[in-house]
Amino acid sequence: MTAPVPRRVALGVLCTSMALMTSELVVTRIFSVVVWYHFAFLAISVALFGMGAAALAVHLLEHRILPSRTEVWLARSSLALCVSIVLVDLALLNLSPDWFGADANVPFTRLTAKLLVVFLMAAAPFVAGGFTIALAITRHATFVHRLYFMDLLGAGVGCALVVPLLSALGGPLALLAAALLAALGALVFGEARRAAWATLAAVAVLGATAPQSGLFRVRIAKGIHLDARPPEYNRWNSFSMVTVLPQVGFRGWGLSPEYRGPIPQQKTLVIDMNAMTTVTRFTGAFEEVRYTTFDLSALSYRAHPEPKEVCVVGAGGGKDVLAALAAGARHVTAVEINPLIVDDVMRDKYREFSGGLYLRDDVTVLVEDGRTALRQAERRFDVINLSMVDTSAATAAGAYALTENSLYTADAFIDFTGSLAPGGVLSVASVSLPDLAVGARLASIARAAVAARGKDPSRAVLVVSTPWLATRDATMFEVLIRPDGWTDLEVARVAREVRELGFRPVYLPGLPPATRSLEERWIAAILSTRDAAALDHARARWPLDVSPTTDDHPFFFYQNRLRDLGRALFGAGPGHLFGNGLAILAKVAVVAVLVVGVFLLVPLLVRRREALAGEGAALWDLGYVACLGLGFMFVELGLVLRFSVFLGHPTSTLSVVLLTLLVASALGSRVLGRPVERPRRVLAIGLALLVVAIAAFALLGPRWLESARGVGPALRALLAVALIAPLGLLLGLPLPALLREVSLRARARVPWLWSVNSGTSVLGSVLATLTTMHAGITATLLIGAGFYVLALVLSFWVVRHAREHVPEALGSAVKAAEAG
């Protein structure tokens, strides 16, 4: 029999869970800044792995921990969590750049053996915190619904804290705040008070003196020594770290080789030390910024001279806004999702330098995501411009849930072209790298969007290219979409302009296509092939997946196929990882399978008798918790990605989706997971309702969300809460129901099951990501529902004891605790 839960233990679990969730999400942001956004995905897996390893340790060591010493161990492990968070924080901020293959020929981070050491080190806090949670649940398993409630509630509160902490303190100090929460947990547990107070004070002093000491300042990011190039400005928020550096001689992404004029002074504005835009010195004389109209991304203003209304999506530091004004636009709507860039940089610190660009009467600035802004706009635009809106930054909602993914889909292009005035042009510019055919994918998306409007893609799309940043191994593509179609006279004018500017025509309707490169041949085939089925057949044979992305399958920069799995596992791969996430995901999937195997087998090898002791076959119990671990990750990822498009802001996705899911699951655990007279029936009904709810949202959710896209952000958030909360309530039932029943018949098995649940969650996070990237969000949710169907079937075997079979003494204790 396990003991009732003391209040201090429940509160200690709450604080520990808050610290763990805050750490997990802040670490994803720090990884995104100092390493590369692909690796932010691994932070989730690292956290789950650490907590699973801790639960396994509890299973193997629990018999050595005297019940009377339980709270001492809880306090000590919380202190270990606090100290390890501080050490990981310091380590991540002082990584050596040569760990990441950052040399002159490799502009993007590569996967190296030393980098893997970083991730193993980053697991330390989650091992310490996971030990706290697992030990508390093991010692109070009969009342697991109460502790699971505090665990999930703490995770929800930690999730809610991330956005304000990042905005107020920045990533490194936000991680220190998580360490304070861990020290507070140690204090609450009521043991080791002197050590807890000392640790709490030490962390507080470190945080208070950080601005003066510089100890928690990013020094090296993506191979760049910031001490060697001190920023003029550096600040974090939940979107990214925004840095302004002195001028570095930037001449535009694809400046015409024929341009001979001056280039004004510029500041380099960098997002997460990778995605770059510029803040240009502007005095109000457009002749001074005339060079902006000679960039390939401004070709639309030569194809559609002197537009009245222009919308720039992803306005950043205003370079494209200046280009529109210099080209004769009467009014520009600048849409920028990051408020830090708009309010802190452009309207405050660099207001005078930029000539008050974002305060002009002929410029309207909207702090919003592009799709929402255009959906709600009353104006119709002659030109909508998206130029290099590629942040490469993992948002606080998790890697691969990127803001630009919702911009580069066929559904988005349909929205954008629907906001054009008659004869208007959608201009999209991005860059292709070796093994990353962005131009071809843009052409596919353009074709799908134009065809969806019943127009002829072969007449509606122009494609032009130039070397990106004047390098030979990267090509910038400019795609101009005019749904009404380009006339022969307009095509001839564009061809003349392209020739005079020194750009390369790739596809111009009615003119012979360029055939310089394989990607250019793909683009010509995509836009000129009349038979859609024949085109799909041809695209399926190409080495890269350049099929059109959709809102259900929004991974624009991911172009691997599952048939590339062997090459991703064993081949050298490209010199960069941008857009080639399969190389990471495949290796992590193998590691995750091994982790699950270890968590399953080690208890059998080390403590076989204890693991199998008690009633009920261990195999059924293990299968059940494995289904829950896999199913939860599939459902969680599907919900985050589905609502990231609907809500627009990644911050909203984090605050609304994860917070609602975790808090609702906590309530479900507390209300639905409490001891009942007929546990088998309650669990079966709960799982059946959960399966129906997940499947209904997977199939009908896109239609519900589409019908509500025109409403304001507050109403969209309320709708999201209303749709997610019922799922969360039901998700809180299955695991505590099992752990309580197992505690009655095989108590020694509880921490083992907890570790297997965490291990399969690691595997589930990888498999869910792979599934979403290759099959889409709907398929991911339906597969999640399938895992819960398997759990429903297994529940008839794992919940063997109805309330009348509980020993009388234990039943009395349960009833007394419930009454209390």
Side-chain angles (χ1 to χ4, degrees):
M1 183 176 74
T2 60
V5 184
R7 180 170 297 178
R8 60 181 178 275
V9 171
L11 292 175
V13 166
L14 176 75
C15 293
T16 302
S17 184
M18 288 168 60
L20 285 171
M21 178 56 77
T22 304
S23 299
E24 179 180 331
L25 294 176
V26 173
V27 164
T28 65
R29 291 292 310 116
I30 294 178
F31 276 161
S32 182
V33 171
V34 302
V35 189
W36 191 251
Y37 85 95
H38 290 77
F39 299 109
F41 159 80
L42 289 183
I44 308 298
S45 297
V46 164
L48 294 170
F49 164 76
M51 289 186 281
L56 183 60
V58 169
H59 178 70
L60 298 177
L61 300 174
E62 189 214 353
H63 64 289
R64 299 184 181 180
I65 302 174
L66 297 175
S68 60
R69 301 282 292 172
T70 296
E71 290 171 28
V72 174
W73 280 83
L74 293 176
R76 288 176 177 175
S77 58
S78 292
L79 287 176
L81 169 61
C82 174
V83 173
S84 61
I85 290 174
V86 175
L87 294 178
V88 166
D89 199 357
L90 290 171
L92 290 177
L93 298 177
N94 292 276
L95 297 173
S96 172
D98 62 0
W99 284 27
F100 310 118
D103 55 45
N105 298 318
V106 183
F108 302 107
T109 301
R110 295 183 300 179
L111 184 64
T112 66
K114 290 181 179 179
L115 186 59
L116 295 179
V117 175
V118 176
F119 291 100
L120 290 176
M121 174 194 66
F126 304 103
V127 173
F131 188 93
T132 305
I133 303 293
L135 180 59
I137 285 177
T138 299
R139 288 290 160 88
H140 306 283
T142 305
F143 306 90
V144 68
H145 63 291
R146 291 186 171 182
L147 284 179
Y148 198 53
F149 166 76
M150 300 302 280
D151 181 25
L152 292 176
L153 181 63
V157 175
C159 175
L161 288 175
V162 167
V163 172
L165 285 176
L166 284 172
S167 298
L169 303 177
L173 291 183
L175 210 50
L176 272 189
L180 284 174
L181 290 172
L184 181 62
L187 198 60
V188 169
F189 280 125
E191 300 292 341
R193 285 184 175 273
R194 289 184 180 179
W197 277 115
T199 305
L200 190 68
V203 175
V205 169
L206 285 174
T209 59
Q212 292 75 33
S213 68
L215 195 60
F216 292 90
R217 176 172 52 84
V218 177
R219 288 182 169 79
I220 302 170
K222 296 185 173 70
I224 300 173
H225 280 273
L226 294 181
D227 288 336
R229 296 175 57 193
E232 295 182 357
Y233 168 90
N234 190 77
R235 188 173 171 185
W236 296 68
N237 65 0
S238 60
F239 291 82
S240 61
M241 184 180 80
V242 175
T243 306
V244 178
L245 300 167
Q247 179 163 309
V248 292
F250 182 71
R251 294 179 58 84
W253 303 114
L255 186 64
S256 165
E258 303 301 320
Y259 180 71
R260 299 292 182 268
I263 295 178
Q265 183 184 359
Q266 300 172 91
K267 302 293 183 180
T268 305
L269 194 159
V270 193
I271 301 167
D272 277 2
M273 293 309 299
N274 175 258
M276 193 194 85
T277 181
T278 58
V279 182
T280 305
R281 178 177 289 280
F282 180 52
T283 65
F286 290 114
E287 184 62 29
E288 297 177 355
V289 294
R290 182 169 169 266
Y291 91 101
T292 59
T293 65
F294 282 77
D295 198 270
L296 179 61
S297 60
L299 184 64
S300 55
Y301 306 121
R302 299 174 186 270
H304 193 303
E306 297 187 358
K308 295 179 181 179
E309 291 283 349
V310 172
C311 179
V312 175
V313 176
K319 173 182 172 292
D320 296 314
V321 176
L322 285 173
L325 293 172
R330 298 183 186 178
H331 182 270
V332 178
T333 299
V335 182
E336 170 55 49
I337 195 170
N338 195 330
L340 204 56
I341 294 175
V342 174
D343 297 324
D344 217 42
V345 175
M346 296 298 292
R347 287 176 170 169
D348 186 10
K349 300 294 189 295
Y350 292 88
R351 172 180 176 176
E352 183 177 349
F353 183 87
S354 64
L357 180 63
Y358 282 5
L359 296 169
R360 290 173 60 96
D361 292 338
D362 52 0
V363 176
T364 298
V365 182
L366 301 177
V367 181
E368 185 61 270
D369 82 287
R371 291 181 68 175
T372 301
L374 285 168
R375 223 178 281 132
Q376 297 177 348
E378 296 180 358
R379 292 184 171 96
R380 287 294 176 264
F381 300 97
D382 299 299
V383 174
I384 297 175
N385 180 281
L386 289 82
S387 172
M388 302 295 297
V389 191
D390 315 329
T391 69
S392 308
T395 69
Y400 282 114
L402 308 182
T403 57
E404 67 267 25
N405 281 341
S406 64
L407 298 179
Y408 294 140
T409 69
D411 304 271
F413 278 30
I414 292 171
D415 286 347
F416 294 151
T417 53
S419 296
L420 291 171
V425 176
L426 171 61
S427 167
V428 185
S430 193
V431 61
S432 286
L433 301 167
D435 296 308
L436 182 64
V438 164
R441 174 150 273 175
L442 284 175
S444 292
I445 295 171
R447 175 189 173 108
V450 171
R453 293 195 169 276
K455 306 293 184 178
D456 181 5
S458 67
R459 295 295 311 178
V461 184
L462 306 176
V463 183
V464 181
S465 71
T466 194
W468 179 58
L469 297 175
T471 60
R472 291 193 302 173
D473 60 347
T475 302
M476 181 177 179
F477 286 93
E478 168 78 346
V479 178
L480 299 178
I481 305 167
R482 188 175 191 174
D484 298 333
W486 299 93
T487 66
D488 291 339
L489 186 62
E490 290 166 338
V491 171
R493 183 177 70 242
V494 171
R496 183 175 64 253
E497 294 279 2
V498 167
R499 184 170 58 252
E500 292 175 356
L501 292 169
F503 298 141
R504 297 202 306 256
V506 176
Y507 178 84
L508 302 178
L511 298 180
T515 56
R516 293 181 181 85
S517 69
L518 178 61
E519 185 175 8
E520 289 175 343
R521 292 197 294 273
W522 290 353
I523 291 171
I526 289 166
L527 296 174
S528 62
T529 302
R530 297 283 181 177
D531 188 338
L535 175 61
D536 290 340
H537 183 71
R539 267 191 306 223
R541 299 197 305 271
W542 297 347
L544 296 176
D545 180 8
V546 295
S547 58
T549 49
T550 65
D551 283 355
D552 191 64
H553 185 260
F555 302 101
F556 176 78
F557 294 108
Y558 182 77
Q559 298 186 352
N560 296 134
R561 302 179 189 276
L562 280 179
R563 69 188 185 213
D564 302 326
L565 195 58
R567 182 168 61 88
L569 275 172
F570 306 109
H576 63 86
L577 289 171
F578 190 66
N580 294 278
L582 189 63
I584 298 173
L585 293 171
K587 293 177 175 66
V588 175
V590 172
V591 173
V593 170
L594 294 176
V595 166
V596 173
V598 168
F599 288 177
L600 285 170
L601 296 177
V602 166
L604 290 177
L605 296 175
V606 178
R607 294 185 64 197
R608 177 182 176 85
R609 180 176 299 177
E610 291 87 344
L612 299 180
E615 297 183 27
L619 181 62
W620 300 117
D621 295 339
L622 293 170
Y624 179 87
V625 296
C627 287
L628 298 186
L630 292 166
F632 188 87
M633 294 309 299
F634 272 76
V635 172
E636 180 186 57
L637 182 64
L639 291 174
V640 167
L641 291 175
R642 179 72 81 206
F643 281 100
S644 68
V645 174
F646 175 67
L647 295 173
H649 284 266
T651 308
S652 298
T653 300
L654 174 74
S655 301
V656 175
V657 179
L658 292 185
L659 178 59
T660 304
L661 190 65
L662 291 169
V663 173
S665 296
L667 293 173
S669 170
R670 187 67 178 88
V671 176
L672 303 178
R674 67 181 187 274
V676 293
E677 291 297 324
R678 299 177 181 271
R680 184 182 299 184
R681 177 180 297 180
V682 171
L683 182 57
I685 293 174
L687 283 169
L689 289 174
L690 177 60
V691 169
V692 172
I694 296 170
F697 179 78
L699 299 173
L700 302 177
R703 188 180 306 171
W704 297 337
L705 299 182
E706 179 65 31
S707 64
R709 278 189 173 177
V711 303
L715 289 177
R716 291 203 310 275
L718 286 175
L719 177 61
V721 171
L723 290 173
I724 297 168
L727 287 173
L729 284 169
L730 294 170
L731 284 168
L733 167 65
L735 185 58
L738 169 76
L739 294 180
R740 183 180 56 254
E741 295 300 320
V742 172
S743 73
L744 304 180
R745 53 183 170 82
R747 194 184 69 83
R749 203 177 294 163
V750 169
W752 184 21
L753 296 177
W754 187 262
S755 72
V756 170
N757 181 259
S758 297
T760 50
S761 294
V762 177
L763 181 60
S765 67
V766 182
L767 295 181
T769 303
L770 281 169
T771 300
T772 309
M773 289 179 164
H774 292 278
I777 298 171
T778 299
T780 300
L781 288 167
L782 290 176
I783 292 174
F787 281 118
Y788 282 104
V789 170
L790 290 176
L792 173 61
V793 174
L794 291 170
S795 69
F796 293 103
W797 280 271
V798 299
V799 184
R800 295 171 176 270
H801 291 255
R803 181 57 55 210
E804 59 266 21
H805 294 149
V806 178
E808 183 177 351
L810 182 58
S812 300
V814 169
K815 292 175 182 178
E818 288 301 308

